Amino acid sequence: MKLDNSKFDIICNTVDNGIILINKNLEVQFWNKWLEIRTGISANEIINKNLIDFYPNIDEKKLTRKISTALKLNSSTFYTPQISKYLVNIELGKVTDKVFDNMQQSITITPLDIENELVIIYIYDVTMLCEINFKLKEIKEKVEEKNEELNLLFDTTMEAIILFKDDRVVDCNKVAIELLNYSSKYDLINKSFYELIHNKRILEKIHDRPLETTILRSDESSFKALINIKDTVINSQIFKIVTIVDISEIKRKENLLAEQSKLAAMGEMIGNIAHQWRQPLNIISITASSTKLKKEIGLLTDKILLDSLKLISDTTEHLSNTIDVFKDFLKEDKEKSLFNLTQNIQNNIALIETILNENKIRIDLDLDDEIYLFNFSNEFSQALINILNNASDAISSKLKQDELRLIKISTKQLKDIVEITILDNAGGIEKDIIEKIFEPYFTTKHKFQGTGLGLYMTHKIIKMSMKGKITVSNKEFTYEDKEYIGAEFKITLSSNT
């Protein structure tokens, strides 16, 4: 094959990425200026020599296989290094706060001349994107540390203790006096239960765990509190022991932490979108470059041109659709709206598709396309993505790479109720923590999946905002004639809300 070397050189030496023209035997035929500058290896030194002689750490078998595949299919392939994130090691300069010592790279292999078994290897610098993802991970870890600090603070907070007899105060501790803003215990003694507790029906039900309510102070101000009520017998008389913890500051910090968690999740989602964009952008760049190159060397036919333009158009449309879905996810729901449940679920899966693919997770959908909900669509999206991320974390930590990794999502209409189930095959949740995973103050020493805050926020969204119900249980099921067990999250919502 004869090439117009001057035109080839101009094209390949003016692009801002590495270009290697190489044959099936890994013998370098062209080495552009970008690589000369960054590797310190001149084209004269490396042309007609084997790439492995200069970079022995390259996975030779894998690279050869990728080149053969590209030639055989006459289509681009992507080379992903197994250990390092680069094909040719290019040391980065002494930059302050740098994350990586070597340039992180995305490598695409495009066939150029099938007959002579020549391909072009494109090397893209993705160091900045990798640094962003790394720093986003650090932010997430810091948020988790803050969450642990908050839980520790709550666990060690001193409680106010008030003793009631016949629903009248008979004694209390010093913390109770200070918390309720009284001068002494004698100002509290003989106060009725309902003078202190805002919820007048709190005693009508038996409570076996702490509950949240509003407490009234002496100056008629109030604060949110977590209280525990226990009946006890002292000298044959029944007393109520009420313990009170002021959680107004914790509520403020919890809201702040929720916002920080949301921002971190948003940053992680932006990184995920950027990661999803990388391959389509590579396709557009490679297709345009390849088409131009074929035009210059006289190999461009009408069919190749039309196919290239269609591929660019389809890929551009995919990028546009990704942005539209992401914009919808970021919108704040001010009012309820009517939305199609299937479309909402599919959009959410598309947003985290890269994470699911990287973890080799199969999504099995059984959706009723006719279900519509009048509710907060974006809040439902946040809740669903929290559950999917937790399921992904559980699968990644418990299952091997060669095992089936599965998340099943189903929807069905039951009269005026819509039921959504999300089921994984990660082995289920330990019995001693399954009842606690939705608790707002569930400590990380019992951590199930993710930060723990995600499941609490999911529970809060479904129950408080959407007026629905969410439960979790371990379920055995059969898939493709094999038995599995996993955690099943079940969300029920009114279709008439």
Side-chain angles (χ1 to χ4, degrees):
M1 174 182 177
K2 294 181 179 180
L3 298 176
D4 186 335
N5 290 333
S6 61
K7 291 182 178 180
F8 186 90
D9 287 355
I10 291 172
I11 293 170
C12 294
N13 285 322
T14 54
V15 295
D16 191 26
N17 54 267
I19 294 180
I20 305 172
L21 180 61
I22 197 168
N23 63 22
K24 188 176 179 180
N25 298 321
L26 304 187
E27 293 170 349
V28 177
Q29 307 298 307
F30 180 83
W31 186 264
N32 75 339
K33 292 288 185 184
W34 189 92
L35 285 165
E36 284 187 334
I37 293 170
R38 285 159 178 78
T39 65
I41 300 173
S42 69
N44 291 333
E45 291 177 80
I46 197 169
I47 286 177
N48 294 324
K49 294 185 177 65
N50 197 295
L51 185 64
I52 303 300
D53 294 338
F54 292 80
Y55 297 100
N57 291 329
I58 289 176
D59 188 338
E60 182 178 359
K61 290 183 179 179
K62 181 176 182 180
L63 181 57
T64 303
R65 187 174 68 252
K66 290 288 185 179
I67 291 173
S68 298
T69 301
L71 291 169
K72 184 177 180 180
L73 300 178
N74 194 19
S75 176
S76 297
T77 59
F78 301 92
Y79 175 87
T80 305
Q82 292 298 320
I83 300 175
S84 59
K85 294 296 183 182
Y86 48 82
L87 176 70
V88 294
N89 53 307
I90 299 173
E91 291 187 1
L92 299 174
K94 295 182 178 179
V95 182
T96 305
D97 296 328
K98 70 176 181 178
V99 176
F100 306 101
D101 293 326
N102 292 281
M103 178 190 292
Q104 309 297 286
Q105 300 160 12
S106 174
I107 301 101
T108 305
I109 301 170
T110 302
L112 176 65
D113 187 343
I114 304 297
E115 182 179 347
N116 292 302
E117 299 185 328
L118 293 175
V119 299
I120 295 177
I121 296 179
Y122 292 86
I123 301 175
Y124 299 88
D125 181 0
V126 293
T127 305
M128 184 175 294
L129 178 61
C130 291
E131 286 180 346
I132 291 172
N133 288 334
F134 181 87
K135 290 176 181 177
L136 283 171
K137 183 180 179 182
E138 287 186 326
I139 291 173
K140 183 180 178 182
E141 289 173 352
K142 288 179 181 178
V143 170
E144 290 179 356
E145 289 176 2
K146 290 294 182 184
N147 190 35
E148 290 178 2
E149 291 174 7
L150 186 60
N151 285 325
L152 179 62
L153 175 64
F154 178 82
D155 289 339
T156 56
T157 300
M158 295 297 293
E159 298 174 326
I161 301 174
I162 304 177
L163 188 64
F164 290 86
K165 182 178 181 293
D166 298 327
D167 294 335
R168 294 275 176 180
V169 177
V170 293
D171 204 355
C172 64
N173 67 351
K174 186 177 180 181
V175 177
I177 298 167
E178 295 173 350
L179 188 61
L180 299 177
N181 202 22
Y182 284 91
S183 300
S184 68
K185 72 161 58 177
Y186 302 105
D187 296 323
L188 250 177
I189 288 176
N190 213 34
K191 293 281 184 185
S192 75
F193 184 88
Y194 299 108
E195 288 181 81
L196 305 178
I197 307 297
H198 185 268
N199 186 352
K200 305 304 181 186
R201 296 183 176 180
I202 203 165
L203 292 179
E204 292 179 6
K205 296 182 179 179
I206 297 174
H207 303 283
D208 57 359
R209 63 178 62 191
L211 57 103
E212 189 178 314
T213 188
T214 302
I215 302 293
L216 303 176
R217 295 190 180 95
S218 63
D219 57 3
E220 297 185 353
S221 64
S222 62
F223 62 93
K224 287 290 183 181
L226 199 66
I227 72 168
N228 196 21
I229 304 172
K230 295 290 184 183
D231 287 337
T232 186
V233 177
I234 303 175
N235 295 329
S236 301
Q237 298 184 67
I238 298 176
F239 290 83
K240 279 185 172 59
I241 299 177
V242 178
T243 56
I244 304 172
V245 178
D246 181 359
I247 60 171
S248 54
E249 180 64 14
I250 292 176
K251 279 288 184 183
R252 187 188 70 81
K253 290 183 177 180
E254 180 186 283
N255 291 334
L256 178 62
L257 184 59
E259 287 301 314
Q260 290 174 337
S261 178
K262 188 175 181 181
L263 288 174
M266 189 183 299
E268 190 175 37
M269 189 69 73
I270 291 172
N272 186 41
I273 294 297
H275 188 57
Q276 283 193 204
W277 267 40
R278 184 172 63 184
Q279 182 171 325
L281 289 174
N282 280 346
I283 291 173
I284 292 172
S285 174
I286 292 164
T287 304
S289 299
S290 177
T291 304
K292 185 176 181 182
L293 183 59
K294 287 177 181 177
K295 173 66 175 174
E296 295 290 343
I297 62 180
L299 295 179
L300 184 64
T301 65
D302 288 346
K303 184 179 185 309
I304 292 175
L305 178 60
L306 290 174
D307 289 344
S308 298
L309 291 175
K310 185 178 185 305
L311 178 59
I312 291 173
S313 177
D314 291 345
T315 307
T316 304
E317 184 178 354
H318 170 71
L319 293 175
S320 178
N321 290 339
T322 302
I323 282 296
D324 289 340
V325 172
F326 185 57
K327 283 167 61 180
D328 288 340
F329 177 79
L330 293 180
K331 287 179 182 176
E332 289 188 9
D333 287 325
K334 301 298 182 183
E335 296 178 352
K336 293 181 179 180
S337 61
L338 188 67
F339 65 95
N340 181 268
L341 182 58
T342 294
Q343 187 63 51
N344 180 286
I345 291 172
Q346 290 174 340
N347 287 345
N348 294 328
I349 292 172
L351 283 177
I352 60 171
E353 185 178 23
T354 301
I355 295 173
L356 298 172
N357 289 340
E358 287 181 348
N359 290 329
K360 297 181 179 179
I361 294 173
R362 182 189 301 180
I363 300 293
D364 183 87
L365 298 178
D366 180 18
L367 308 179
D368 183 346
D369 296 340
E370 301 303 316
I371 296 178
Y372 285 80
L373 291 175
F374 185 73
N375 218 309
F376 299 109
S377 63
N378 292 331
E379 292 204 11
F380 177 78
S381 295
Q382 293 173 30
L384 180 63
I385 286 178
N386 280 340
I387 295 173
L388 292 177
N389 282 334
N390 275 278
S392 176
D393 289 343
I395 288 171
S396 298
S397 64
K398 294 182 178 181
L399 299 181
K400 297 178 181 178
Q401 288 282 338
D402 57 350
E403 291 182 282
L404 173 68
R405 296 172 162 214
L406 178 69
I407 297 176
K408 292 167 60 69
I409 304 175
S410 65
T411 61
K412 57 184 176 181
Q413 181 91 42
L414 304 171
K415 293 185 178 179
D416 295 332
I417 297 296
V418 172
E419 187 178 275
I420 305 106
T421 59
I422 304 98
L423 173 64
D424 62 58
N425 69 330
I429 308 170
E430 290 82 356
K431 292 181 179 179
D432 59 332
I433 67 171
I434 194 168
E435 296 295 328
K436 303 177 183 179
I437 62 173
F438 291 131
E439 292 181 6
Y441 309 112
F442 178 48
T443 63
T444 54
K445 64 185 178 181
H446 298 298
K447 184 166 62 174
F448 165 51
Q449 298 164 354
T451 63
L453 183 63
L455 290 178
Y456 166 61
M457 294 304 296
T458 296
H459 183 267
K460 188 174 181 180
I461 287 171
I462 298 299
K463 187 175 181 180
M464 304 300 293
S465 297
M466 304 189 74
K467 306 301 180 185
K469 182 180 179 182
I470 180 170
T471 59
V472 63
S473 62
N474 291 327
K475 181 177 179 180
E476 296 181 2
F477 65 100
T478 302
Y479 185 80
E480 295 183 346
D481 298 325
K482 289 191 68 176
E483 297 291 329
Y484 297 96
I485 186 169
E488 182 184 71
F489 288 82
K490 184 177 292 185
I491 298 171
T492 53
L493 297 168
S494 172
S495 55
N496 299 324
T497 302

